[in-house]
């Protein structure tokens, strides 16, 4: 109890220091007055009595110190006092404080923002039980240029029944559908899955229940499970929601439950989940490679992804042994295999390289900033040698002086980190804008408390490590050698100046590494945007529509298309309009294998693969896509039922080398191994057009495109393309009105210009380039400040020397040359180190470059010239200042 009372008394002393000081002073006064009265009673005069009482009592300051040590936490009090003194010192040097805090804030903000994104996407485990056990299983066809293809119903059933590595295997896919009644429909994303997915993810319903395997059958699949966010936003958390229904694509579904919010970390787009139902045809031998749904599984304890992959290979081998010969040929030509990969690594694969690149760049910026702070602190410490000597002369120990400086540096670091976290918070919305585009199924990133604590702790340690540099200078300085006349006399000496020069040289090297990366990305971006898209995007408006089910029937499709295009063409100013299954540059993911008729691929040749796009006959004229050979579609192709197709120039060069592709025939859109179609049904090529990069110019699959006519049967969703010189803002209202006249239940979505689609395809590349360029510019700016600061400080230390040189006849150009030569070797050595490092690190950026070598000489030469020019300018300013020193004044001052 005594120890507890002592702790409480000491803690109270921290918060009531003023009151305790007053009480202590009052008690001492009473003691001295009491002794004074006793001495006066013994015959002393009043002055003698008080003087004797003070001698008897002792030194009040020493007694106060002893009392403070006994009643408070001395170390904490001393720290608070040093922080107050440090705050006053920083306030008296506003220029130093502002530069140091802003430098720290920019460096901290960049690192905290990017680390938060990396932590949320790459490091933070998904909110499921044992998330490392959840894997994705998919097909690979490397020879056909298809690195990742989903699975089929047959594969799902075989992996479920013929493997021992998994606790559960399930399918999960998503699509955009129409929700609501006529006139109030909306387009949202749904998920569809087999019942095992809830066990794979370890989910329990918030209310109601999940569907079961019995619901994965036709007729039993009209049930849905809402996500928690959709339940909250559209049903106001109504606990009786399980008694309600929802209209989905014109059909009524019963709501049976609500899934917890954690499931949104698996697919943030999905608003509800419905069961997959399949027909007998889906499990026939010809549907094995009707690959349309991703497959997931949960590994059993003791099993790894590699052992599961061995089982998957065994399943596929068993099929291969009994497959028809034409199927074996297809699998051999495509190089078919399987992949079993943990879901977090697989989902984040597209963004992992650029994120690690940006984090590395942010660390380089932090290093450059730390060098600046170190040089500033070294200069500041040396300029305060007079103060340090006075403190030492008054009895302050070396440890006390060091502790005072470290608390001042800690205050500076905390100010910089606090402002930097504010910058990071402001950067996250911008980061989320690009994350949603690159990873549409990922949740937005927030500044995670755990990540923030880790980052803050690391940054504080780095800051204190930087602060140790001037402290080490203090520790090695002789403090008892007398008081210097002024700060210039307290020069840090050649060793301090050499150390600062080494730091600046490293700073230049780091800046050049960042500039080189930014230069390569800028050159690559310029090459990407210079690629001819193969069409004219100006004055074209694009929009998507959801097609009601009644128009997907064969007898109504053509009439619907004709009525829709006719209505849009009536809008004043519309030059032409067309329909398509996709919009150029917005992405296309429907690669299919095919076979050229009357030709056989040589043994070992890759499987022929192309991407298919359905278009109306007006499509090519609307987009001004150049015809290279043959003709476009015409009305006779549709009315006569001719299976006409148009291919692009890449298709013609690849599959009809040295001869015309027009008139060529091929077989497609049938599962490999299925019976061959009649000759009259075989597609025929009627024209060849310019290549259009529907997936963006950076699509590395290099697959050609085949255009087929949208005839009687239409898709669930269509894109409308309208060419008009009118402003989009003037055209959209009329556009909506015409769609409403055709069918008021059709929602019009994603209206934008085609140029927006083209520009949007470069957005992620542009974001990486801009961020890395911003880091490089910041590093260049900090390096310039570092060079300027070191030289300016060196000039201030050499004022007497420069004054003497001027007095004995040195001219201004000679003095400028003296200082510039001092800077030149730093710039030269730093540039050489930076170039060597940049070339070595360039291989890590190679995958982000488009049609550009990572050792592109023009990029390195341009950024090197820029760095040297900025560095020389930063060096010239203190050199000019040195040349302007008046010799008489300099010598008089010294």
């Amino acid at each position: 109890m005594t120890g507890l009372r002592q702790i409480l008394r000491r803690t109270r002393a921290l918060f009531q220091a003023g009151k305790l000081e007053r009480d202590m002073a009052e008690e001492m006064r009473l003691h001295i007055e009491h002794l004074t009265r006793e001495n006066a009673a013994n015959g002393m005069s009043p002055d003698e009595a008080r003087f004797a009482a003070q001698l008897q009592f002792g030194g009040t300051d020493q007694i106060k110190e002893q009392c403070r040590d006994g009643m408070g936490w001395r170390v904490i009090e001393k720290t608070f006092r040093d922080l107050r003194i440090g705050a006053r010192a920083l306030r008296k040097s506003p220029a130093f404080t502002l530069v140091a805090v802003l430098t720290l804030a920019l460096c901290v903000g960049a690192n905290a923002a990017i680390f938060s994104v990396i932590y949320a996407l790459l490091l933070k485990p998904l909110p499921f039980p044992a998330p490392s056990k959840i894997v994705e299983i998919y097909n690979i066809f490397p020879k056909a240029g298809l690195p990742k293809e989903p699975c089929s119903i047959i594969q799902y059933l075989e992996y479920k029944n013929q493997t021992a590595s998994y606790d559960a295997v399930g399918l999960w896919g998503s699509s955009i559908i129409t929700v609501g009644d006529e006139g109030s429909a909306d387009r949202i994303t749904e998920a569809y899955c087999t019942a095992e997915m809830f066990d794979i993810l370890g989910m329990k319903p918030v209310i109601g229940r999940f569907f079961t395997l019995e619901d994965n059958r036709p007729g039993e699949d009209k049930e849905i499970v809402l996500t928690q966010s959709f339940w909250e936003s559209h049903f106001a958390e109504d606990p009786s929601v399980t008694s309600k229904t929802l209209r989905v694509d014109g059909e009524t579904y019963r709501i049976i439950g609500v899934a917890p919010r954690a499931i949104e970390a698996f697919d943030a787009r999905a608003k509800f989940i419905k069961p997959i139902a399949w027909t007998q045809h889906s499990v026939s031998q010809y549907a094995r490679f009707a690959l349309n749904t991703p497959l997931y599984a949960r590994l059993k304890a003791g099993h790894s992804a590699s052992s599961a992959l061995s089982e998957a290979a065994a399943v596929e081998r068993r099929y291969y042994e009994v497959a028809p010969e034409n199927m074996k040929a297809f699998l051999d030509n495509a190089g078919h295999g399987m992949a079993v990969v943990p879901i977090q690594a697989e989902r984040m694969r597209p963004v992992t390289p650029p994120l690690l690149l940006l984090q590395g760049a942010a660390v380089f910026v932090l290093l450059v900033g730390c060098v600046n702070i170190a040089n500033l602190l070294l200069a500041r410490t040396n300029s305060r040698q007079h103060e340090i000597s006075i403190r030492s002369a008054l009895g302050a120990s070396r440890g006390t002086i060091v502790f005072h400086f470290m608390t001042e540096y800690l205050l500076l670091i905390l100010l910089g980190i606090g402002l930097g976290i504010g910058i990071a918070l402001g950067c996250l919305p911008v980061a989320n804008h690009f994350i949603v585009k690159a990873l549409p199924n990922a949740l937005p990133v927030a500044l995670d408390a755990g990540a923030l604590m880790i980052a803050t702790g690391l940054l504080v340690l780095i800051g204190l490590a930087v602060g140790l540099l001037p402290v080490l200078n203090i520790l090695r300085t002789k403090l008892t050698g007398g008081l210097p006349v002024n700060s210039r006399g307290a020069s840090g000496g050649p060793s301090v100046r050499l150390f600062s020069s080494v730091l600046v040289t490293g700073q230049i090297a780091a800046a050049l590494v960042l500039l080189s990366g930014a230069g390569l990305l800028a050159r690559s971006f310029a090459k990407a945007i210079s690629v001819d898209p193969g069409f004219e995007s100006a004055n074209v408006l694009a929009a998507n529509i959801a097609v009601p089910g009644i128009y997907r029937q064969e007898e109504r499709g053509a009439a619907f298309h004709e009525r829709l295009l006719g209505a849009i063409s009536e809008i004043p100013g519309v030059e032409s309009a067309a329909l398509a299954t996709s919009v150029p540059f917005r992405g296309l993911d429907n690669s299919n294998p095919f076979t050229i008729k009357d030709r056989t691929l040589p043994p070992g040749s890759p499987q022929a693969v192309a991407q298919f796009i359905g278009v109306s006959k007006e499509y090519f004229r609307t987009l001004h896509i150049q015809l290279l050979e043959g003709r476009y579609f015409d009305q006779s192709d549709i009315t006569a039922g001719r299976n006409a197709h148009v291919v692009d120039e890449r298709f013609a060069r690849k599959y009809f080398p040295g001869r015309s592709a027009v008139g060529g025939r091929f077989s497609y859109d049938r599962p490999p191994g299925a019976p061959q179609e009649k000759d009259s049904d075989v597609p025929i090529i009627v024209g060849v057009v310019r290549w259009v990069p529907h997936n963006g110019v950076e699509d590395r699959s290099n697959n050609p495109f085949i255009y087929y006519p949208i005839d009687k049967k239409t898709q669930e969703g269509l894109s409308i393309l309208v060419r008009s010189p009118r402003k989009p803002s003037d055209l959209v209202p009329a556009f909506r009105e015409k769609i409403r006249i055709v069918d008021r239940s059709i929602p019009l979505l994603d209206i934008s210009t085609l140029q927006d689609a083209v520009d949007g395809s470069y957005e992620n590349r542009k974001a990486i380039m801009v961020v890395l360029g911003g880091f490089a510019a910041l590093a260049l700016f900090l390096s310039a400040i570092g060079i300027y600061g070191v030289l300016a400080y060196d000039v201030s230390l050499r004022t007497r020397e420069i004054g003497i040189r001027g007095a004995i006849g040195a001219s201004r150009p000679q003095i400028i040359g003296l200082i510039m030569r001092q800077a030149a070797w730093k710039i030269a050595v730093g540039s050489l180190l930076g170039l060597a490092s940049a070339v070595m690190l360039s291989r890590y950026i190679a995958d982000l470059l488009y049609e550009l070598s990572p050792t592109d000489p023009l990029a390195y030469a341009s950024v090197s010239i820029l760095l040297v020019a900025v560095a020389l300018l930063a060096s010239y300013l203190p050199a000019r200042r040195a040349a302007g020193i008046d010799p008489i004044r300099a010598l008089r001052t010294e």
Side-chain angles (χ1 to χ4, degrees), residues 20-186:
L20 292 175
E21 285 285 332
R22 290 192 297 273
D23 292 345
M24 183 168 53
E26 178 65 16
E27 187 173 350
M28 288 182 181
R29 185 184 65 78
L30 292 174
H31 274 291
I32 293 174
E33 286 184 357
H34 176 71
L35 291 174
T36 300
R37 286 195 296 270
E38 286 185 349
N39 291 336
N42 291 331
M44 293 184 181
S45 67
D47 291 339
E48 291 175 339
R50 184 165 188 82
F51 181 73
Q54 289 176 335
L55 290 176
Q56 289 174 287
F57 187 78
T60 54
D61 288 336
Q62 290 85 347
I63 295 174
K64 284 182 179 181
E65 286 296 320
Q66 293 173 3
C67 292
R68 292 187 190 109
D69 290 341
M71 70 180 181
W73 301 100
R74 189 64 176 149
V75 174
I76 297 177
E77 291 176 346
K78 184 178 180 182
T79 301
F80 282 147
R81 186 185 67 227
D82 282 344
L83 284 173
R84 287 194 298 271
I85 295 172
R88 286 198 297 269
L90 293 177
R91 193 167 57 246
K92 286 175 18 178
S93 304
F96 163 80
T97 304
L98 182 63
V99 171
V101 169
L102 283 179
T103 300
L104 280 170
L106 291 171
C107 297
V108 168
N111 279 273
I114 295 176
F115 181 72
S116 295
V117 173
I118 288 179
Y119 179 80
L121 297 180
L122 306 183
L123 304 178
K124 186 178 181 180
L126 293 171
F128 312 124
S132 61
K133 289 291 184 181
I134 304 174
V135 295
E136 183 177 359
I137 307 167
Y138 56 86
N139 294 272
I140 57 174
F141 301 90
K143 289 184 180 180
L146 302 175
K148 181 178 180 180
E149 291 295 310
C151 292
S152 63
I153 299 294
I154 296 178
Q155 287 181 313
Y156 152 70
L157 294 173
E158 288 186 354
Y159 282 78
K160 177 180 176 181
N161 299 319
Q162 299 180 21
T163 58
S165 295
Y166 310 110
D167 279 327
V169 178
L171 294 165
W172 178 291
S174 62
S175 63
I176 299 176
I177 44 81
T178 303
V179 173
D181 297 315
E182 183 177 327
S184 61
D186 194 12

Side-chain angles (χ1 to χ4, degrees), residues 38 53 117 131 208 227 248 308 328 389 484 490 565 569 578 612 685 698 722 754 763 802 812 841 877:
E38 286 185 349
V117 173
T227 61
V248 179
K328 288 182 180 179
S389 298
L565 289 175
S569 299
F612 293 82
I685 300 171
E698 299 179 71
V722 177
L754 195 52
E763 201 165 43
I802 294 170
R812 285 176 59 87
L841 294 173
L877 297 177

Side-chain angles (χ1 to χ4, degrees), residues 729-809:
S729 56
D730 297 335
L731 197 61
V732 169
F735 203 167
R736 291 187 183 277
E737 183 59 31
K738 288 297 182 181
I739 297 292
R740 194 175 295 114
I741 291 173
V742 172
D743 190 326
R744 61 176 305 186
S745 68
I746 297 177
L748 190 62
L749 311 163
D750 304 325
I751 305 177
S752 64
T753 65
L754 195 52
Q755 187 60 48
D756 289 338
V758 175
D759 295 340
S761 69
Y762 301 112
E763 201 165 43
N764 287 337
R765 168 176 288 280
K766 184 178 180 181
I768 297 170
M769 180 191 69
V770 169
V771 173
L772 187 60
F775 287 165
L778 178 59
L780 180 62
F781 176 70
L782 293 176
S783 298
I785 291 178
I787 293 171
Y788 173 83
V790 167
L791 291 180
Y793 178 62
D794 191 63
V795 167
S796 70
L797 295 178
R798 299 171 65 185
T799 300
R800 179 180 175 82
E801 173 196 338
I802 294 170
I804 292 174
R805 288 176 180 270
I808 62 177

Side-chain angles (χ1 to χ4, degrees), residues 445-662:
V445 172
L447 200 62
D448 185 88
L452 185 59
M453 290 179 63
I454 294 171
T456 302
L458 289 173
L459 291 167
V460 168
L461 290 176
I462 292 171
L464 290 176
V466 171
L468 283 175
L469 296 175
V471 166
L472 293 174
N473 187 38
I474 294 173
L475 291 175
R476 71 173 185 78
T477 302
K478 184 178 180 181
L479 302 180
T480 57
L483 301 181
V485 176
N486 55 36
S487 62
R488 288 194 181 101
S491 168
S495 60
V496 173
R497 289 160 56 190
L498 177 62
F499 185 65
S500 294
S501 298
V502 170
L503 289 179
V504 169
T505 302
Q507 194 176 43
I508 293 171
L512 188 53
V513 170
L514 289 179
L515 282 170
S516 299
L520 287 170
L521 287 179
R523 289 262 296 144
S524 177
F525 182 75
K527 281 183 172 290
I529 62 175
S530 66
V531 173
D532 184 358
F535 63 92
E536 292 183 15
S537 58
N539 299 325
V540 177
L541 192 67
N544 295 330
I545 61 169
V547 180
I550 59 172
Y551 301 125
R552 298 178 214 156
Q553 301 171 13
E554 187 170 346
E555 63 276 9
R556 296 191 178 186
F560 170 69
H561 295 164
E562 185 177 351
R563 190 153 53 96
L564 181 61
L565 289 175
I568 294 171
S569 299
E570 293 173 356
I571 300 173
V574 170
E575 296 176 355
S576 61
L579 301 176
T581 55
S582 70
V583 174
F585 280 82
R586 284 190 182 169
L588 187 66
D589 187 19
N590 65 341
S591 297
N592 287 302
F594 64 91
T595 302
I596 302 293
K597 285 293 184 180
D598 303 323
R599 292 184 64 208
T600 57
L601 292 171
S605 295
Q607 173 63 44
V609 174
Q611 293 187 293
F612 293 82
I613 308 166
V615 300
S616 65
K617 65 182 189 311
E618 303 86 359
Y619 178 83
F620 302 106
R621 294 183 179 89
T622 299
L623 296 189
H624 293 178
I625 297 176
Q626 182 183 358
L627 180 68
L628 301 179
E629 188 181 4
R631 63 176 176 83
Y632 296 131
F633 298 129
D634 57 32
Q635 189 62 33
S636 66
D637 292 324
I638 298 174
T639 56
R642 188 181 298 114
N643 204 353
H645 287 64
V646 172
V647 300
D648 68 7
E649 55 187 316
R650 285 192 175 184
F651 183 100
R653 285 198 302 265
K654 188 172 184 179
Y655 298 117
F656 292 88
R659 65 189 183 98
S660 173
V662 175

